[in-house]
Amino acid sequence: MDPDSVKSTLSNLAFGNVMAAAARDYQKELLAQEKAQSSTANEEVDLDELMDDPELEKLHADRIAALKKEAEKREALKRKGHGDYREITEGDFLGEVTGSEKVVCHFYHKEFYRCKIMDKHLKALALKHMDTKFIKLDAENAPFFVTKLAVKTLPCVIIFRKGVAVDRLVGFQDLGAKDDFAMRTLEVVLIKKGIISEKKNEDDEDDVYDESRRRTVRSSVNHDSDSD
């Protein structure tokens, strides 16, 4: 056979193989595009159906109702003085501690260093724990209740339930007996005493809601306590 003819034949065969491979690749690409379009169309149909899903609608309605109820509760508590760390007078005392189910009252002295530390942490907790009222009372200006409640060491944080003194923190004894304790340390002590509750992170609540929806779609220097 003529060598030139052989080369021409082999060249044609190689070119034919390249073209065949290209044709197969093109066909695969077309099939992939069709499959993708079909999948997108199905997703659009599924989403349209989910818009009318009664279970999802109920979940959404329940969530809105819960948020509305919580907002109304917060407003009612704010009217009672919750959500803020306020100073009261001796004349206000009885009305404040009997006006809410759970109250934390700090008996303090304005010149005592540790009272200022306690103030800082209680102010932060008041913003976080709306269910509990946080107040403070200058011990120098409240001699009757200082005597009545046997307040002998400051700072003294007294816990009230329905107007009754049920527990107290004296100085920093329950807080490691040091000045640089964290707010969380005080928070844990108050949780253990039952006057505040462990707060669930709002982001966690949203995650639970989103997961439920997905399921539906798929199916310093230490100081001793000062005394007054």
Short mmCIF file of all heavy atoms in Angstrom, two decimals, residues 2 22 58 69 73 109 202 216:
data_model
loop_
_atom_site.label_atom_id
_atom_site.label_comp_id
_atom_site.label_asym_id
_atom_site.label_seq_id
_atom_site.Cartn_x
_atom_site.Cartn_y
_atom_site.Cartn_z
N ASP A 2 0.38 2.26 -0.70
CA ASP A 2 1.13 3.51 -0.80
C ASP A 2 1.27 4.14 0.58
O ASP A 2 0.27 4.31 1.29
CB ASP A 2 0.38 4.45 -1.75
CG ASP A 2 1.16 5.75 -1.96
OD1 ASP A 2 2.36 5.78 -1.66
OD2 ASP A 2 0.52 6.73 -2.39
N ALA A 22 -15.83 14.36 20.67
CA ALA A 22 -16.42 15.68 20.85
C ALA A 22 -17.95 15.60 20.82
O ALA A 22 -18.64 16.26 21.58
CB ALA A 22 -15.91 16.64 19.77
N LYS A 58 -49.24 26.81 59.95
CA LYS A 58 -49.53 26.74 61.39
C LYS A 58 -48.27 27.04 62.21
O LYS A 58 -48.33 27.74 63.22
CB LYS A 58 -50.06 25.35 61.75
CG LYS A 58 -50.46 25.22 63.22
CD LYS A 58 -51.01 23.85 63.52
CE LYS A 58 -51.49 23.76 64.97
NZ LYS A 58 -50.44 24.08 65.95
N LYS A 69 -47.13 37.43 72.19
CA LYS A 69 -47.39 37.21 73.61
C LYS A 69 -46.19 37.62 74.45
O LYS A 69 -46.34 38.24 75.52
CB LYS A 69 -47.74 35.73 73.86
CG LYS A 69 -48.12 35.42 75.28
CD LYS A 69 -48.52 33.96 75.42
CE LYS A 69 -48.92 33.64 76.86
NZ LYS A 69 -49.30 32.21 77.02
N LYS A 73 -45.93 40.59 77.29
CA LYS A 73 -45.45 40.29 78.65
C LYS A 73 -44.33 41.23 79.05
O LYS A 73 -44.29 41.75 80.17
CB LYS A 73 -44.96 38.83 78.71
CG LYS A 73 -44.39 38.43 80.05
CD LYS A 73 -43.86 37.01 80.00
CE LYS A 73 -43.20 36.63 81.33
NZ LYS A 73 -42.62 35.25 81.28
N HIS A 109 -23.92 51.12 100.12
CA HIS A 109 -23.41 52.40 100.62
C HIS A 109 -22.65 53.05 99.48
O HIS A 109 -21.81 52.41 98.83
CB HIS A 109 -22.49 52.18 101.82
CG HIS A 109 -22.11 53.45 102.53
ND1 HIS A 109 -21.26 54.39 101.98
CD2 HIS A 109 -22.48 53.92 103.75
CE1 HIS A 109 -21.12 55.40 102.82
NE2 HIS A 109 -21.85 55.15 103.91
N GLU A 202 -31.18 33.80 72.10
CA GLU A 202 -32.21 34.05 71.08
C GLU A 202 -31.84 33.44 69.74
O GLU A 202 -32.69 33.00 68.97
CB GLU A 202 -32.42 35.56 70.92
CG GLU A 202 -33.07 36.19 72.14
CD GLU A 202 -33.30 37.67 71.94
OE1 GLU A 202 -32.92 38.19 70.87
OE2 GLU A 202 -33.85 38.31 72.85
N THR A 216 -40.16 20.50 58.11
CA THR A 216 -41.45 20.57 57.43
C THR A 216 -41.24 20.57 55.93
O THR A 216 -41.97 19.92 55.19
CB THR A 216 -42.20 21.84 57.83
OG1 THR A 216 -42.35 21.85 59.25
CG2 THR A 216 -43.57 21.89 57.19
#
